[in-house]
Amino acid sequence: MSRLSQLKLALTPRQSDALFDVPLFYSMLCLIGVGFVMVTSASMPVAERLFNNPYHISIRHGVFLGMGLFLFWATTSAPMTWWKRCNPYLLLLGLGLLVLVLLVGREVNGSKRWIPVGPVGVQAAELAKLFFFSYIAGYLVRKKEEVQENLKGFAKPIAVFAVYAFLILMQPDLGTVVVMFVTTVGLLFLAGAKLWQFFALILTGVFLVVLLIIFEPYRMARVVGFLEPWDDPFGKGYQLVQSLMAYGQGGWFGQGLGNSVQKLQYLPEAHNDFIFAVIAEELGFIGVVSIILLLGCLVFRALLIGQKALKHDKEYEGYFALAIGIWFAFQTMVNIGASAGILPTKGLTLPFVSYGGSSLLVMVVAAGVLQRVDFETKMSTKQATSRGNKR
């Protein structure tokens, strides 16, 4: 090897020596960048109609991105001991926000999900979701033996979840409840809960979700529309039919950026819940696969960070990272599945891509938590190695 090559190698930091998770960081930046471009493209027709400015929604999204980058920096700077210490207070704050939104929340399309704060609305369920995952991680550290050995330890976090779920269903928002349920069950399983408890909880959850769908007409209409969208293409199945048409028109390489037909006020929520359909139409199969790979990388790194933290006896940090990984994975699956006609519509955003201020900000904070967990794990490993070398 030449001296020049050796010098370049010495000056180039290896990924293992980096103080942050490089693939996670770049995956997040790529998703945010693609999201900004696609939100701009998908929202121009509706922004022109509603606000007489085709860039109105894009500008708002850009403001949220700026706020998100600041929050990302702040979160990566905050030690994980802060999250651990503030666990019960954050849980109560989330509970208070869920009650507050029912009292003073702004109603949009029949749902009270946003607390008005000046010109913007804060989606209480998004913050409550993150705070609840932090609580579950802390609980598993404090009561790990109880969770593994008896039903009482398993039932306590489910009781807290039930309170949160009831308040969120009052908005109503079944999608968020399902995400929280799946993440909670996943964490309890990883913490060593008994298999019969695990399967009993899954069956109970599925039974309750089915009941909620059967006894709520609009949810039942969504399921019927999902199963047979072409039976009523201008009624119950309208949104899914338009989404499937967008997928069908995309082909291998898409119609080209900005050339979507379905976003021209045919496809409702084109810049929000159904942005993946616009991506499929404009960027084609190649664009779809690229986004899925980026999201897959994000989830894989989150789970890997959690696993490494647990391996180095950082249980709270490990469980919190695993919760975020499960959350990102399941929400991605539901969003893409709904737009592709694989799952019923649930109204969940695509992580880091869809328009939605509260969702974007909370997910950026969650990504900041992952980076902080990775940083502290690497620091503890280096300190242990240096102490071993001194000996």
Side-chain angles (χ1 to χ4, degrees):
M1 183 184 293
S2 67
R3 290 186 177 181
L4 181 59
S5 299
Q6 292 176 347
L7 180 61
K8 286 182 178 179
L9 187 62
L11 293 176
T12 305
R14 294 176 299 171
Q15 183 182 320
S16 59
D17 294 333
L19 296 179
F20 59 92
D21 192 285
V22 178
L24 175 69
F25 182 69
Y26 286 141
S27 296
M28 184 192 75
L29 283 185
C30 288
L31 288 169
I32 287 175
V34 171
F36 180 74
V37 172
M38 295 311 303
V39 165
T40 301
S41 175
S43 66
M44 290 177 72
V46 68
E48 177 70 32
R49 178 172 61 86
L50 295 178
F51 306 104
N52 200 29
N53 178 4
Y55 300 106
H56 179 87
I57 293 175
S58 177
I59 291 170
R60 286 176 62 90
H61 191 65
V63 171
F64 284 123
L65 282 180
M67 294 168 60
L69 292 176
F70 171 77
L71 288 175
F72 179 78
W73 169 80
T75 307
T76 54
S77 301
M80 292 306 297
T81 52
W82 181 88
W83 288 92
K84 195 183 299 186
R85 186 173 62 252
C86 295
N87 231 305
Y89 307 111
L90 292 175
L91 183 70
L92 291 174
L93 176 59
L95 192 66
L97 290 172
L98 292 177
V99 172
L100 183 64
V101 75
L102 296 175
L103 299 175
V104 302
R106 187 175 68 230
E107 187 169 334
V108 179
N109 296 329
S111 299
K112 269 191 174 184
R113 300 181 186 178
W114 292 268
I115 300 172
V117 181
V120 300
V122 176
Q123 195 167 351
E126 292 294 332
L127 287 167
K129 188 161 50 178
L130 181 65
F131 297 159
F132 178 76
F133 295 154
S134 173
Y135 158 76
I136 288 292
Y139 178 85
L140 291 176
V141 174
R142 296 190 303 270
K143 306 291 184 179
K144 187 175 181 180
E145 292 184 0
E146 280 191 26
V147 171
Q148 294 174 345
E149 295 174 3
N150 60 61
L151 186 61
K152 183 181 177 182
F154 185 83
K156 284 180 181 178
I158 300 303
V160 176
F161 165 77
V163 175
Y164 263 57
F166 173 76
L167 292 172
I168 295 172
L169 287 172
M170 292 290 289
Q171 298 181 11
D173 186 358
L174 180 60
T176 296
V177 171
V178 172
V179 170
M180 291 175 64
F181 175 76
V182 170
T183 305
T184 302
V185 170
L187 269 187
L188 289 172
F189 177 74
L190 292 173
K194 295 179 180 178
L195 283 178
W196 73 265
Q197 296 173 336
F198 175 72
F199 287 115
L201 185 59
I202 289 179
L203 292 174
T204 304
V206 170
F207 175 73
L208 292 175
V209 168
V210 170
L211 286 182
L212 288 169
I213 291 172
I214 292 174
F215 290 105
E216 192 66 54
Y218 84 91
R219 290 187 186 128
M220 195 65 191
R222 282 185 177 182
V223 172
V224 172
F226 148 72
L227 293 173
E228 296 293 343
W230 298 100
D231 286 353
D232 189 10
F234 297 103
K236 297 175 183 178
Y238 177 79
Q239 193 170 27
L240 180 54
V241 166
Q242 299 302 317
S243 180
L244 293 175
M245 289 172 66
Y247 274 94
Q249 293 175 138
W252 283 96
F253 300 101
Q255 300 295 317
L257 185 62
N259 292 329
S260 168
V261 174
Q262 298 308 117
K263 73 180 182 184
L264 300 176
Q265 302 182 38
Y266 292 105
L267 177 62
E269 303 295 337
H271 60 288
N272 199 344
D273 302 341
F274 280 78
I275 195 168
F276 204 69
V278 178
I279 292 173
E281 186 178 5
E282 295 191 352
L283 305 183
F285 179 78
I286 301 301
V288 164
V289 171
S290 299
I291 300 298
I292 291 176
L293 287 175
L294 285 171
L295 287 164
C297 177
L298 195 78
V299 170
F300 175 75
R301 298 307 300 182
L303 297 177
L304 190 62
I305 287 170
Q307 182 188 34
K308 286 181 179 179
L310 290 175
K311 186 178 178 181
H312 290 89
D313 297 323
K314 289 182 169 291
E315 292 187 313
Y316 170 77
E317 293 84 349
Y319 286 130
F320 199 2
L322 289 173
I324 293 171
I326 297 170
W327 163 27
F328 283 179
F330 186 72
Q331 186 155 328
T332 296
M333 182 183 73
V334 171
N335 179 276
I336 295 176
S339 67
I342 302 171
L343 296 170
T345 304
K346 281 288 178 286
L348 294 173
T349 59
L350 186 63
F352 300 100
V353 179
S354 296
Y355 173 77
S358 298
S359 175
L360 177 64
L361 294 179
V362 170
M363 286 186 173
V364 169
V365 168
V369 169
L370 292 174
Q371 291 286 9
R372 184 68 197 190
V373 171
D374 184 63
F375 170 76
E376 292 190 6
T377 303
K378 287 175 178 176
M379 287 296 100
S380 65
T381 305
K382 288 182 178 180
Q383 289 170 3
T385 305
S386 64
R387 286 196 297 267
N389 291 335
K390 288 179 181 178
R391 290 175 186 173

